[in-house]
């Protein structure tokens, strides 16, 4: 009864998102599952959150950062990745919702990194035929920061953001600074010299069931939180059936397991990076 | 006409789909169903004390309930009386029967989807089991209809609002962990619905790929 079903030390040592501070403040108390362990989160005095394991077993460590409550079952979890845009005072921080998805965290991250599906899944918004080409872009694994970074990703988008008036070539940068978290930087319609940030933080409830926390840190003084949230929910709702029909639901790390194309460079780097970390939870490891 | 709407709601989608097929223009007011629970807010409860979407306002009247709204729209805007065959007792009885069945789909398949996707606290196994029981009944019904040369849920050569009422939460069932693998007649019927002229999808429901010459669209 007292053991965690997940025994992968790589995952256990990570911080995992549970709920946004705002949602917890509204609810006061929330029950959820992390790595197959039921937890109760309580909103305390001055916004301090407490997280306790339901039933026997040690309660996790707690961190409140970037607008979320995070938890870890690790002995000495590393500090969370840098996200400096979160601190910029003129940005709007809008958590756009959390959705349950029947898929592994790795599959969800990869979908977030993929531009090739835009014209077919997000037709008329993030892409449209005949603009289907994924142009050459750069990928590196930053050794100093231990993250996968894809730059110079360009794509024609009919409606890149709620604040967009017309179609435009949009430039993306992707960061994967955590096995289950990814950030997307894209040209801001409000200020071309700066970039909006969209994040996807995944909370693995099990190996094939996640809570997907989505949100934005953006420059937009015109649209309401509700309409920004709605725009993002429409996009996520389109991704959901695609994600849930992935087979297998866990992410195969063997480079021979699935056949990538050149547009999948980021995904290839991501899988290799996970392999090198020795991750086993939610993935199909390379056979020894 | 105004529709109080939420994109990810299958019941709101029924109305958007019907309006698109009937080529009726309308405005929408987005309700922050999730996470804002605006449909349970004081101001919305004054419009619909049940705290449910969709609701329409038309010519000063407020109407709630997806199936009631479908009925109203079909009678008002379909001069051919095909979508709601008001003067044919036998077919109209079938329509009413399957509208009630659509509510059963909402109570099971939609509930399972809310559990998996939006963390509603309910007995998801019971919801899935209930949905499979209804899907089995619908699949057998559609299979026998096909043997009679019938394409739609109710008898006759034209789809009715019963097809529109049943379609969304069948099409979204996989989001609640309800596979349609064992219901081939349902899958064929879904493809036929997607070929109705004026069909639109929603987040989670993709349109059928366009036929090369457009000829596969059902005249409607």
């Amino acid at each position: 009864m007292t053991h965690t079903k997940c025994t992968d030390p790589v995952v256990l040592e990570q911080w995992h998102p549970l709920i946004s501070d705002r949602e917890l403040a509204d609810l006061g108390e929330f029950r959820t599952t992390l790595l197959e362990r039921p937890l109760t989160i309580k909103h305390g005095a001055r916004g301090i959150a407490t997280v306790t394991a339901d039933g026997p077993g040690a309660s996790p460590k707690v961190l409140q950062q970037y607008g979320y409550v995070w938890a870890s079952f690790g002995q000495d979890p590393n500090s969370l990745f840098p996200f400096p845009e979160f601190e910029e005072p003129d940005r709007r921080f809008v958590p756009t919702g959390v959705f349950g998805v029947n898929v592994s965290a790795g599959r969800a991250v990869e979908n977030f990194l993929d531009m090739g599906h835009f014209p077919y899944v997000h037709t008329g918004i993030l892409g449209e035929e005949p603009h289907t080409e994924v142009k050459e872009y750069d990928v590196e694994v930053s050794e100093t920061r231990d993250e996968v970074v894809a730059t110079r990703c360009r794509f024609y988008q009919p409606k890149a953001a709620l604040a967009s008036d017309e179609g435009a070539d949009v430039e993306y940068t992707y960061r994967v600074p955590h096995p289950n978290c990814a950030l997307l930087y894209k040209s801001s319609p409000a200020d071309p010299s700066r970039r909006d940030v969209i994040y996807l933080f995944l909370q693995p409830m099990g190996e094939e069931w996640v809570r997907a926390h989505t949100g934005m840190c953006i420059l937009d003084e015109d649209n309401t939180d509700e309409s920004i949230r709605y725009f993002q929910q429409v996009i996520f709702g389109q991704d959901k059936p695609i994600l849930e029909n992935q087979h297998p639901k866990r992410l195969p790390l063997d480079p021979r397991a699935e056949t990538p194309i050149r547009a999948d460079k980021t995904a290839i780097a991501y899988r290799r990076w996970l392999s090198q970390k020795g991750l086993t939870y939610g993935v199909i490891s390379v056979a020894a | 006409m105004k529709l109080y709407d939420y994109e990810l709601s299958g019941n709101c989608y029924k109305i958007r789909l019907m309006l698109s097929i009937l080529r009726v223009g309308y405005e929408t007011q987005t309700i922050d169903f999730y996470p804002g629970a605006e449909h349970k807010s004081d101001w919305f409860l004054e419009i619909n004390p049940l705290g449910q979407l969709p609701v329409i306002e038309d010519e000063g009247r407020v109407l709630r309930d997806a199936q009631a709204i479908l009925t109203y729209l079909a009678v008002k805007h379909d001069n051919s009386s095909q979508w709601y065959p008001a003067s044919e007792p036998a077919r109209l009885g079938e329509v009413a029967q399957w509208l009630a069945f659509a509510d059963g789909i909402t109570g099971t398949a939609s509930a399972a989807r809310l559990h998996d996707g939006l963390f509603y606290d309910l007995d998801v196994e019971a919801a899935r089991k209930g949905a499979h029981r209804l899907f089995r009944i619908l699949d057998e019904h559609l299979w026998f209809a096909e043997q009679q040369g019938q394409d739609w849920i109710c008898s006759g050569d034209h789809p009715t609002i019963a097809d529109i009422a049943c379609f969304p939460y069948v099409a979204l069932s996989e989001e609640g962990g309800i596979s349609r693998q064992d219901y081939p007649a349902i899958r064929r019927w879904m493809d036929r619905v997607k070929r109705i002229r004026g069909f639109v999808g929603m987040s989670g429901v993709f349109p059928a790929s366009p036929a090369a010459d457009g000829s596969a669209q059902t005249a409607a």
Side-chain angles (χ1 to χ4, degrees):
Chain A
M1 281 297 285
T2 57
H3 73 289
T4 338
K5 284 185 184 167
C6 169
T7 55
D8 178 354
V10 179
V11 170
L12 289 171
E13 284 296 325
Q14 299 284 348
W15 289 109
H16 300 280
L18 298 178
I19 187 170
S20 72
D21 289 334
R22 278 184 209 172
E23 191 181 0
L24 184 61
D26 285 346
L27 298 175
E29 181 175 328
F30 184 71
R31 298 193 65 221
T32 188
T33 301
L34 175 64
L35 303 170
E36 296 145 69
R37 288 184 62 163
L39 300 174
T40 299
I41 312 150
K42 285 185 180 157
H43 176 77
R46 298 182 307 281
I48 307 290
T50 55
V51 182
T52 47
D54 294 2
S59 289
K61 295 183 169 63
V62 184
L63 174 71
Q64 281 175 280
Q65 201 170 351
Y66 306 146
Y68 282 82
V69 180
W70 304 73
S72 174
F73 293 111
Q75 296 301 312
D76 184 21
N78 286 332
S79 55
L80 210 48
F81 52 86
F83 183 6
E85 293 79 10
F86 181 83
E87 315 291 346
E88 292 177 6
D90 61 341
R91 282 179 186 268
R92 302 252 308 270
F93 169 62
V94 187
T96 47
V98 51
F99 292 91
V101 189
N102 290 308
V103 77
S104 62
R107 289 285 196 192
V109 168
E110 276 200 2
N111 178 75
F112 188 76
L113 302 176
D114 172 52
M115 288 179 285
H117 74 286
F118 288 168
Y120 311 105
V121 176
H122 309 298
T123 313
I125 307 173
L126 301 185
E128 71 187 354
E129 295 181 81
H131 309 280
T132 58
E133 185 195 4
V134 177
K135 300 181 186 76
E136 187 64 31
Y137 61 90
D138 300 323
V139 181
E140 61 161 353
V141 176
S142 162
E143 304 229 336
T144 48
R145 292 218 304 226
D146 188 28
E147 65 179 59
V148 180
V149 180
T151 50
R152 280 200 318 120
C153 308
R154 287 152 298 151
F155 210 81
Y156 174 81
Q157 301 200 324
K159 188 164 178 57
L162 195 58
S164 307
D165 297 325
E166 55 185 15
D169 266 313
V170 177
E171 182 159 337
Y172 278 26
T173 293
Y174 289 104
R175 290 176 55 201
V176 191
H178 177 298
N180 300 333
C181 297
L183 301 129
L184 154 61
Y185 294 71
K186 68 194 287 187
S187 346
S188 170
D191 180 352
S193 70
R194 297 169 71 191
R195 292 182 302 176
D196 288 339
V197 188
I198 300 173
Y199 61 81
L200 175 69
F201 299 157
L202 297 154
Q203 168 193 342
M205 299 175 59
E207 287 198 90
E208 300 182 357
W209 190 22
V210 296
R211 268 161 58 87
H213 303 265
T214 62
M216 308 188 179
C217 258
I218 58 172
L219 299 153
D220 180 340
E221 294 179 356
D222 299 329
N223 292 293
T224 62
D225 280 11
E226 287 76 15
S227 55
I228 291 167
R229 210 149 66 191
Y230 196 63
F231 179 82
Q232 203 56 22
Q233 288 190 6
V234 168
I235 304 285
F236 196 80
Q238 292 171 336
D239 280 319
K240 200 163 184 283
I242 308 295
L243 283 168
E244 293 182 332
N245 278 289
Q246 301 260 9
H247 185 81
K249 286 183 181 293
R250 286 182 291 150
L251 185 70
L253 296 186
D254 187 331
R256 293 161 302 182
E258 293 177 336
T259 308
I261 57 171
R262 210 170 58 167
D264 299 324
K265 261 163 67 173
T266 319
I268 297 164
Y270 172 60
R271 292 186 189 192
R272 195 184 302 133
W273 183 66
L274 294 181
S275 273
Q276 284 165 355
K277 288 187 176 303
L279 184 82
T280 59
Y281 191 79
V283 300
I284 300 168
S285 306
V286 182
Chain B
M1 194 196 92
K2 177 156 87 176
L3 169 65
Y4 292 92
D5 189 30
Y6 179 66
E7 166 71 19
L8 303 182
S9 155
N11 271 331
C12 291
Y13 169 55
K14 288 177 192 178
I15 310 307
R16 301 194 298 266
L17 177 56
M18 190 77 252
L19 288 165
S20 174
I21 290 169
L22 295 174
R23 293 184 206 144
V24 176
Y26 61 102
E27 59 176 302
T28 58
Q29 179 170 340
T30 294
I31 299 301
D32 182 13
F33 179 90
Y34 178 82
E38 196 176 6
H39 58 303
K40 304 292 185 194
S41 67
D42 290 344
W43 80 266
F44 193 79
L45 289 173
E46 284 182 23
I47 293 173
N48 180 3
L50 295 176
Q52 292 170 343
L53 290 172
V55 172
I56 61 164
E57 271 177 28
D58 192 25
E59 295 177 29
R61 280 188 297 269
V62 173
L63 190 63
R64 64 173 188 249
D65 185 283
Q67 275 65 250
I69 297 169
L70 288 176
T71 305
Y72 172 77
L73 293 175
V75 173
K76 183 173 179 188
H77 295 290
D78 171 28
N79 295 328
S80 69
S81 299
Q82 296 279 14
W83 287 98
Y84 189 78
S87 60
E88 300 174 62
R91 288 185 70 217
L92 191 58
E94 291 177 32
V95 169
Q97 171 184 298
W98 289 101
L99 290 182
F101 190 86
D103 264 334
I105 298 174
T106 302
T108 52
S110 167
R113 173 174 176 257
L114 290 170
H115 171 275
D116 280 13
L118 304 186
F119 318 107
Y120 278 46
D121 187 13
L122 51 84
D123 183 349
V124 68
E125 286 311 320
R128 288 190 188 123
K129 198 173 161 198
H132 278 296
R133 178 170 159 267
L134 297 181
F135 284 15
R136 171 58 58 216
I137 292 167
L138 179 61
D139 189 70
E140 284 184 8
H141 171 76
L142 288 165
W143 188 88
F144 281 109
E146 284 175 343
Q147 303 310 302
Q148 308 285 320
Q150 303 275 310
D151 282 342
W152 310 107
I153 288 180
C154 299
S155 55
D157 295 333
H158 196 282
T160 64
I161 60 170
D163 295 284
I164 306 301
C166 290
F167 177 78
Y169 287 120
V170 172
L172 293 164
S173 71
E174 289 181 337
E175 294 190 11
I178 300 154
S179 166
R180 294 183 298 272
Q181 192 168 331
D182 294 335
Y183 310 112
I186 286 182
R187 298 204 307 273
R188 290 191 295 273
W189 163 76
M190 285 176 56
D191 284 343
R192 292 194 290 273
V193 172
K194 290 182 176 189
R195 303 257 182 225
I196 294 173
R197 184 168 295 143
F199 178 87
V200 288
M202 65 169 273
S203 292
V205 179
F206 290 93
S209 45
D213 60 356
S215 62
Q217 287 224 322
T218 306

